[in-house]
Amino acid sequence: MARFCEFKPLNENTLIEYIKTIPTLSSKLNNNFSDISIKEIGDGNLNLVFIVSNSDGSFIIKQALPYVRLIGESWKMTKERAYFESLALKQKGKLCPEHVPEVYHFDRVMSLIGMRYLEPPHIVLRNGLVAGVEYPLLAEHMSDFIAKTLFFSSLLFRSTNDHKRDVAEFCGNVELCRLTEQVIFSDPYKLSEHNHWTSPYLDRDAEAIREDNLLKLEIAELKSKFCERAQALLHADLHTSSVMVTRESTQIIDPEFAFYGPMGFDIGAFLGNLILAFFSQDGHVDQTNYRKAYKVWILKTIENTWNLFYYKFTTLWDNHRDGTGEAYLPEIYNNPEVQLLVQKKYMTDLFHDSLGFSAAKMIRRIVGVAHVGDFESITDAVKRATCEKQALDFAKMLLKERRKFEAISEVVSAITQV
Amino acid sequence: MARFCEFKPLNENTLIEYIKTIPTLSSKLNNNFSDISIKEIGDGNLNLVFIVSNSDGSFIIKQALPYVRLIGESWKMTKERAYFESLALKQKGKLCPEHVPEVYHFDRVMSLIGMRYLEPPHIVLRNGLVAGVEYPLLAEHMSDFIAKTLFFSSLLFRSTNDHKRDVAEFCGNVELCRLTEQVIFSDPYKLSEHNHWTSPYLDRDAEAIREDNLLKLEIAELKSKFCERAQALLHADLHTSSVMVTRESTQIIDPEFAFYGPMGFDIGAFLGNLILAFFSQDGHVDQTNYRKAYKVWILKTIENTWNLFYYKFTTLWDNHRDGTGEAYLPEIYNNPEVQLLVQKKYMTDLFHDSLGFSAAKMIRRIVGVAHVGDFESITDAVKRATCEKQALDFAKMLLKERRKFEAISEVVSAITQV
């Protein structure tokens, strides 16, 4: 029997042997391997993902590979990211179990996570957005996840001791942070072999980004926050393909980029990808369905996500004012006026950060290395470029003008005016 | 012979035994213990400090105690801070050997550093400022130290990998960070048993600080930067008693609070303590010496320190534009206009941070736990309170209005108008 005492990428056959050695996994199958089914479904950029199931049960095996799958073996990427992913899944799962799949098993040597299989009809949210499916609880669930995971890992709730200990640990996930720095904050603003866009239609737009000094000034400020500000434990890759949904369920997966960074990066990732979904809708229009109502639903979801987040986050803050959080000691911030003042400032700064990061996320998905299914599924290049250009122009405006917005309704209104 | 394999505080007798076991130290004395002289001079808040010398040589032994010496054994404080102090001395010494005393020996078990003895006529800068001594090279030297140690430990010069590794390591110095959070960012703004001030003259002023909502809003923003923003390796206690001087030499000591934090905290510490020195001068006035010229020299030193820092820091930046620093990649920031834009923004933000932290440092020295010799040496309480109130009022204005200042000359001008 294989002992799996050093890393090797698994396949359908060796994975069965592996599972047999891990009681917590084999027991999920009732130790019955006669009707086992194993299917590799990793369509992501970085990992092997297997669905393992039999008549008794199921789970997912996710194994990190030591390179970026999207690019190939030449772009090395530490498989230690699986350790940080499992750590983040566990910590966030504890804070928000309704929206994080349970981890059954982690193997650091094999860079392998065994976790809940999100059974059908769960699909990747992005695919649902491309198909035009409404998720009535999405804003409610996402705002819940974001508010809880950010609040409880910040100094609003935690002690400096706990904070610095965890910041230090997640500093170990540096290679994934570097990848983000490169693909979001650098590559789109310079010539890079990895960049691509809908050519020739967006050639001039891609060039304009590389020549836009004010845009570069703004992206530098956001990059500095990303690199230097340990505000909370982020998912750090919270786009619409990191969310699995049904009409009733919302599950957040793939936090392998997790680290302590600026809260707005998570909020912005989600909002920015919803805005991309909005601008892609006209590309999916056919004669029988103009998707007018669906675009309204997306905008409502953007607005509700922020507003519900705002409400839930500040409610958590109010409820834990007298707790262990070291940022605003109750003896100092002990009157309603100053409480209002500091909260308003905190939330305004967070709002502007979120808008900035959402813009950065949008830009990189149009002229950077990794694009999104929302646009990629538009086969007509002219139509796709038209949608992308609208999104790109909006994102550039948002990145530069974000401090002028005072409420999410103003942002939504600006989206509709493009 | 004592083996020193577990921590114990040393005294003049046991220290000799200790030195005999450490060749790098005993060789400094040419292994001659017959005419050895040991003198404990620790007048600081936290440590034992011995001068060890004989006819052949000399050094300092600094030993951390597991509590805050100023307060007593009831205020516990990890002696691991000696490890971070030795690390910071070595790293900063490498970057700026002219202004950092050499470390000869470090013993983690004993929390003990053996280092260069800064021989007379070196005195603590603060004492020189109280005595009215001009140091013509002070601004030149301090700007050198600050510019080099901050620039070379920031992402302007370093890679994300190096940065996150060192940030993680210095997260271990959390107890000293907590002490700063408490005594600078918290205690002065609330009732605390440790606070004191020149009573009854400043009673109302101390109370006014505890009731000033706008001041609390500003101090919260600075505290959040202190806790969350890992911009560079700070000395983190860079007041005028952490500097030893002669007319020709400037030596920075005592970086036991070192950690990765916002650059403005170091710059502000030094400038704020110079401003305190300025406002204390009228308390030292006697009939034969009005110290008018000395006050002008202090103001000139404040102005020169920032302006020279600005020049040296931006020159380092310009000279290393094409280096390994990951903050502003040359391929993106490759034209003079954008270079100017980002540098101006960076330096303006840093200026405002520095002013804010300098104000915070001033306030805590007047109504917090640890006061400064500049004021404490004024024996007439009315005179002392008058000086302190001027400094306090100026600091409050600076904390609230710092973003309105565009140049250090405007700050100096505001000081003279108090």
Side-chain angles (χ1 to χ4, degrees):
Chain A
M1 187 197 280
R3 297 312 304 166
F4 307 105
C5 52
E6 62 180 36
F7 176 82
K8 60 177 172 187
L10 294 176
N11 58 39
E12 281 82 348
N13 296 321
T14 52
L15 180 54
I16 296 188
E17 295 310 308
Y18 179 81
I19 291 164
K20 286 179 179 171
T21 70
I22 310 292
T24 49
L25 294 178
S26 46
S27 66
K28 292 271 167 205
L29 306 173
N30 207 14
N31 294 295
N32 169 12
F33 299 96
S34 58
D35 66 340
I36 195 170
S37 149
I38 298 189
K39 213 171 114 192
E40 210 278 306
I41 54 150
D43 62 348
N45 302 335
L46 295 165
N47 309 288
L48 291 173
V49 182
F50 301 91
I51 303 172
V52 180
S53 65
N54 71 0
S55 48
D56 293 301
S58 65
F59 51 83
I60 287 282
I61 293 290
K62 181 172 178 183
Q63 187 177 33
L65 298 172
Y67 51 84
V68 180
R69 198 178 175 187
L70 169 76
I71 304 288
E73 300 201 17
S74 63
W75 192 333
K76 302 289 175 216
M77 184 52 53
T78 174
K79 55 192 170 48
E80 262 295 273
R81 64 186 187 269
Y83 169 71
F84 294 102
E85 175 168 1
S86 73
L87 205 60
L89 280 170
K90 288 176 202 164
Q91 292 189 9
K92 291 176 185 291
K94 220 166 159 179
L95 296 172
C96 197
E98 320 84 278
H99 302 303
V100 181
E102 188 184 347
V103 173
Y104 303 138
H105 169 69
F106 175 65
D107 182 331
R108 195 158 184 174
V109 170
M110 293 290 284
S111 304
L112 180 153
I113 302 171
M115 58 192 288
R116 178 185 163 194
Y117 169 48
L118 296 166
E119 68 292 340
H122 277 102
I123 61 166
V124 169
L125 172 57
R126 195 185 303 280
N127 297 343
L129 293 165
V130 171
V133 184
E134 292 188 18
Y135 297 95
L137 298 174
L138 184 62
E140 191 70 66
H141 289 170
M142 287 304 296
S143 59
D144 220 48
F145 172 80
I146 298 173
K148 283 178 182 160
T149 57
L150 296 186
F151 178 82
F152 288 114
S153 64
S154 78
L155 285 165
L156 295 175
F157 178 75
R158 304 184 85 205
S159 71
T160 296
N161 280 356
D162 292 345
H163 185 74
K164 285 221 192 280
R165 185 198 56 228
D166 285 3
V167 169
E169 165 122 57
F170 278 94
C171 276
N173 205 15
V174 56
E175 281 202 39
L176 280 279
C177 291
R178 288 197 63 184
L179 180 58
T180 301
E181 287 175 32
Q182 177 179 345
V183 299
I184 296 182
F185 298 104
S186 299
D187 279 355
Y189 304 89
K190 67 185 187 67
L191 288 170
S192 161
E193 52 172 332
H194 304 300
N195 289 346
H196 61 99
W197 52 82
T198 303
S199 187
Y201 311 104
L202 297 184
D203 287 2
R204 180 66 203 114
D205 297 273
E207 194 186 353
I209 286 174
R210 297 193 299 270
E211 290 170 354
D212 190 330
N213 289 345
L214 289 178
L215 209 62
K216 291 179 178 185
L217 180 68
E218 296 297 342
I219 201 71
E221 180 176 327
L222 293 176
K223 184 181 180 184
S224 138
K225 283 194 180 163
F226 181 85
C227 295
E228 295 173 348
R229 186 164 188 204
Q231 195 179 18
L233 178 59
L234 308 187
H235 178 287
D237 195 29
L238 197 54
H239 54 73
T240 49
S241 294
S242 294
V243 183
M244 301 279 292
V245 283
T246 68
R247 278 183 64 87
E248 296 78 30
S249 164
T250 307
Q251 301 292 325
I252 287 88
I253 59 171
D254 291 354
E256 62 206 284
F257 284 82
F259 80 114
Y260 274 78
M263 293 180 181
F265 191 74
D266 267 5
I267 305 167
F270 187 66
L271 296 183
N273 276 269
L274 286 182
I275 301 174
L276 290 179
F278 175 89
F279 283 113
S280 74
Q281 292 302 316
D282 287 349
H284 305 304
V285 164
D286 53 43
Q287 292 312 310
T288 57
N289 174 13
Y290 282 93
R291 292 212 177 168
K292 206 172 151 185
Y294 194 60
K295 284 165 74 175
V296 170
W297 175 80
I298 294 177
L299 293 179
K300 205 67 208 157
T301 301
I302 291 169
E303 194 164 341
N304 288 345
T305 300
W306 171 262
N307 286 337
L308 286 167
F309 164 77
Y310 189 109
Y311 172 76
K312 291 174 185 185
F313 189 88
T314 53
T315 302
L316 286 171
W317 188 344
D318 291 340
N319 291 345
H320 290 87
R321 275 200 191 290
D322 298 324
T324 50
E326 298 211 28
Y328 297 89
L329 299 183
E331 306 97 297
I332 301 174
Y333 297 92
N334 54 1
N335 71 69
E337 299 96 81
V338 76
Q339 285 172 5
L340 200 68
L341 265 178
V342 296
Q343 205 169 70
K344 195 167 172 344
K345 178 171 192 322
Y346 193 101
M347 297 309 287
T348 301
D349 289 347
L350 182 50
F351 183 56
H352 293 152
D353 277 8
S354 301
L355 296 182
F357 286 119
S358 86
K361 292 280 207 169
M362 293 168 69
I363 291 169
R364 75 95 159 204
R365 291 297 192 178
I366 298 168
V367 299
V369 56
H371 287 224
V372 287
D374 311 69
F375 292 128
E376 296 302 289
S377 59
I378 302 170
T379 47
D380 179 337
V382 174
K383 224 181 212 182
R384 182 167 71 245
T386 306
C387 294
E388 288 175 326
K389 185 167 164 44
Q390 285 185 327
L392 196 60
D393 287 345
F394 178 78
K396 284 167 65 177
M397 178 282 293
L398 191 62
L399 188 46
K400 291 180 193 171
E401 309 288 336
R402 65 188 186 279
R403 295 174 199 84
K404 294 185 183 155
F405 290 93
E406 291 184 9
I408 190 73
S409 58
E410 296 170 14
V411 179
V412 164
S413 164
I415 293 172
T416 61
Q417 283 157 32
V418 169
Chain B
M1 187 197 280
R3 297 309 307 167
F4 307 105
C5 52
E6 63 181 35
F7 177 82
K8 59 177 173 186
L10 294 176
N11 58 38
E12 281 82 347
N13 296 322
T14 52
L15 180 54
I16 296 188
E17 295 311 307
Y18 179 81
I19 292 165
K20 286 179 180 170
T21 70
I22 310 294
T24 49
L25 294 178
S26 46
S27 66
K28 294 269 168 206
L29 305 173
N30 209 12
N31 294 297
N32 168 11
F33 299 96
S34 58
D35 67 341
I36 195 170
S37 149
I38 297 190
K39 214 171 114 193
E40 210 279 306
I41 54 150
D43 62 348
N45 302 335
L46 295 165
N47 309 288
L48 291 173
V49 182
F50 301 92
I51 303 172
V52 180
S53 64
N54 71 1
S55 48
D56 292 301
S58 65
F59 50 84
I60 287 282
I61 294 290
K62 181 172 178 181
Q63 187 177 33
L65 298 171
Y67 51 83
V68 179
R69 196 177 177 187
L70 168 74
I71 305 288
E73 300 200 16
S74 63
W75 193 334
K76 302 289 175 215
M77 184 51 54
T78 176
K79 53 191 170 50
E80 264 294 273
R81 63 186 188 270
Y83 168 70
F84 295 103
E85 175 169 359
S86 73
L87 204 59
L89 280 170
K90 287 176 202 164
Q91 292 189 9
K92 290 177 186 292
K94 220 165 160 181
L95 296 172
C96 195
E98 320 84 279
H99 302 302
V100 180
E102 187 183 349
V103 173
Y104 304 139
H105 169 68
F106 175 64
D107 182 333
R108 196 158 184 174
V109 170
M110 292 291 283
S111 304
L112 180 154
I113 301 170
M115 57 192 286
R116 178 185 164 194
Y117 169 49
L118 296 165
E119 68 291 342
H122 277 103
I123 61 166
V124 169
L125 171 58
R126 196 185 302 281
N127 296 343
L129 292 165
V130 171
V133 184
E134 292 187 18
Y135 297 96
L137 298 174
L138 184 62
E140 190 70 67
H141 289 169
M142 287 303 295
S143 59
D144 220 47
F145 172 81
I146 298 173
K148 283 177 183 161
T149 57
L150 297 186
F151 177 82
F152 287 114
S153 64
S154 77
L155 285 166
L156 294 176
F157 178 73
R158 304 184 84 204
S159 71
T160 295
N161 280 354
D162 292 346
H163 185 73
K164 286 223 190 280
R165 185 197 58 227
D166 285 4
V167 168
E169 165 122 56
F170 278 93
C171 276
N173 205 15
V174 56
E175 282 203 38
L176 279 278
C177 291
R178 288 197 64 184
L179 181 57
T180 301
E181 286 174 34
Q182 177 179 345
V183 300
I184 297 183
F185 298 104
S186 299
D187 279 355
Y189 304 89
K190 67 185 187 67
L191 288 171
S192 162
E193 54 173 330
H194 305 300
N195 288 346
H196 61 99
W197 51 82
T198 304
S199 185
Y201 311 104
L202 297 184
D203 289 1
R204 181 63 204 115
D205 297 273
E207 196 187 352
I209 286 173
R210 297 194 298 270
E211 291 170 353
D212 191 331
N213 289 345
L214 288 178
L215 209 62
K216 291 179 178 185
L217 181 68
E218 296 297 342
I219 200 72
E221 179 175 328
L222 293 177
K223 183 181 179 184
S224 138
K225 283 193 181 166
F226 180 85
C227 295
E228 295 172 347
R229 186 166 188 202
Q231 196 179 17
L233 179 60
L234 307 187
H235 178 288
D237 195 28
L238 196 54
H239 53 73
T240 49
S241 293
S242 293
V243 184
M244 302 280 292
V245 283
T246 69
R247 279 182 63 87
E248 295 80 28
S249 165
T250 306
Q251 301 291 324
I252 287 88
I253 59 171
D254 290 354
E256 63 206 283
F257 285 82
F259 79 115
Y260 274 78
M263 293 180 180
F265 191 74
D266 267 5
I267 304 166
F270 187 66
L271 296 183
N273 275 271
L274 286 182
I275 300 173
L276 290 178
F278 174 88
F279 283 114
S280 74
Q281 292 302 316
D282 287 349
H284 304 306
V285 164
D286 53 42
Q287 292 311 312
T288 56
N289 174 13
Y290 282 94
R291 293 214 176 167
K292 206 171 151 187
Y294 194 60
K295 286 166 72 176
V296 170
W297 175 80
I298 294 177
L299 293 179
K300 205 69 211 155
T301 302
I302 291 168
E303 194 165 340
N304 288 346
T305 300
W306 171 262
N307 286 336
L308 286 167
F309 163 77
Y310 190 109
Y311 172 76
K312 290 174 186 184
F313 189 88
T314 52
T315 301
L316 286 171
W317 188 344
D318 292 339
N319 291 344
H320 291 86
R321 273 199 193 291
D322 297 324
T324 50
E326 299 212 25
Y328 298 90
L329 299 183
E331 307 96 298
I332 301 175
Y333 297 92
N334 53 2
N335 71 69
E337 299 97 81
V338 76
Q339 285 172 4
L340 200 68
L341 265 177
V342 296
Q343 205 169 71
K344 193 166 173 346
K345 177 167 193 325
Y346 193 102
M347 297 309 287
T348 301
D349 289 347
L350 182 51
F351 183 55
H352 294 151
D353 277 8
S354 302
L355 297 183
F357 286 119
S358 86
K361 293 280 206 170
M362 293 169 69
I363 291 169
R364 76 94 159 206
R365 292 296 192 178
I366 297 167
V367 299
V369 56
H371 287 224
V372 287
D374 312 69
F375 292 128
E376 296 302 289
S377 59
I378 302 169
T379 48
D380 179 337
V382 175
K383 223 183 213 181
R384 183 167 72 246
T386 306
C387 293
E388 287 175 326
K389 187 168 161 43
Q390 286 185 326
L392 196 60
D393 288 344
F394 177 78
K396 285 168 63 178
M397 180 281 295
L398 192 61
L399 189 46
K400 292 179 192 171
E401 310 287 336
R402 65 189 185 278
R403 296 175 198 84
K404 294 183 183 156
F405 291 93
E406 291 184 9
I408 191 73
S409 58
E410 297 170 12
V411 179
V412 164
S413 164
I415 293 172
T416 61
Q417 282 158 32
V418 170

